[in-house]
């Protein structure tokens, strides 16, 4: 619980350091569902359900934020807090293991808590009501269980890991300040081999939710 409070504190410090003057901001909450991706398994590529929630804050960008904003058509800088339940990620059972990941983990991988920053790049829009975005993101995460907690867990070798996420996000305005959202992403977290064994976790996730577009403040 203390870890969650610390991550949330860091998240709000990041938000507080941004400028609010005459720019649009948003908050979104999106329940997440996904599955573990294990390319080494010949029987099935997708394993085990993932449940979670994504709480995001977006700060509008404009031309004054740099040439890269115009070049990539970036509309927002997004900060996301991601909580994922990995307790049902158990790998797969192989009676004659032929590779490093042929393990069944009865206790799963525990919980994942992460912070990710992303550039929200607009792909297209329709009548200013429907928007499609691409979000490449990078951040840090904490996992509650590692190989040193469970020797059958060869996916995660340390509590602290880096996170990479690529996401496609759709947003449909339903009123002046509210929008419905849906997204699909691929996410990877590991420590880059700093501590082994550390095969890392790859997952595919979908999410739906709502977004509150904070009204601009007039001077």
């Amino acid at each position: 619980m203390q870890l969650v409070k610390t991550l949330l504190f860091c998240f709000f410090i990041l938000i507080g350091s941004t400028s609010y003057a005459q720019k649009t901001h948003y908050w979104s909450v999106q329940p997440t569902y996904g599955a573990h991706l294990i390319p080494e398994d010949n029987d099935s590529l997708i394993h085990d359900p993932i449940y979670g929630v994504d709480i995001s804050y977006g700060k509008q960008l404009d031309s004054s934020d740099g040439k890269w904003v115009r070049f990539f058509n970036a509309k927002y800088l997004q900060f996301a807090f991601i909580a994922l339940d990995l307790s049902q990620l158990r790998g797969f059972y192989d009676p004659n293991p032929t590779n490093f990941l042929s393990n069944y983990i009865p206790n799963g991988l525990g919980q994942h808590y992460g912070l990710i920053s992303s550039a929200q790049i607009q792909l297209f829009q329709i009548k200013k009501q429907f928007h499609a975005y691409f979000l490449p993101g990078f951040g840090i995460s904490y996992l509650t269980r590692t190989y040193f907690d469970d020797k059958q867990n060869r996916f995660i070798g340390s509590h602290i890991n880096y996170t990479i996420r690529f996401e496609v996000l759709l947003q449909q305005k339903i009123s002046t300040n509210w929008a419905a959202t849906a997204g699909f992403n691929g996410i990877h977290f590991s420590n880059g081999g700093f501590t082994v064994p550390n095969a890392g976790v790859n997952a595919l996730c979908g999410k739906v939710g709502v977004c509150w577009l904070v009204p601009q403040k007039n001077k």
Side-chain angles (χ1 to χ4, degrees), residues 18 90 118:
T18 61
R90 299 186 172 93
S118 305

Side-chain angles (χ1 to χ4, degrees), residues 24-28 129 171-181 210-217:
T24 300
H25 304 263
Y26 72 78
W27 286 94
S28 68
Q129 300 299 311
Q171 184 184 89
Q172 173 65 52
K173 292 191 71 174
I174 54 180
S175 70
T176 303
N177 297 115
W178 290 93
T181 61
V210 294
C211 176
W212 176 45
L213 304 169
V214 183
Q216 293 185 14
K217 294 183 178 181

Side-chain angles (χ1 to χ4, degrees), residues 56-70:
S56 302
Y57 166 82
K59 171 185 178 293
Q60 186 182 35
L61 297 170
D62 57 34
S63 58
S64 65
D65 293 305
K67 293 182 179 180
W68 71 273
V69 172
R70 297 191 301 273

Side-chain angles (χ1 to χ4, degrees), residues 86-91 100-101 103-111 143-159 195-199:
L86 309 181
S87 61
Q88 298 186 56
L89 266 68
R90 299 186 172 93
F100 189 67
L101 294 181
N103 280 80
Y104 183 74
I105 310 170
N107 298 319
L109 300 185
Q111 307 297 315
L143 283 93
T144 59
R145 296 185 62 83
T146 74
Y147 169 80
F148 300 99
D149 300 306
D150 184 346
K151 300 302 181 184
Q152 294 175 303
N153 173 13
R154 297 181 179 178
F155 294 100
I156 298 298
S158 63
H159 290 292
T195 301
V196 294
N198 187 75

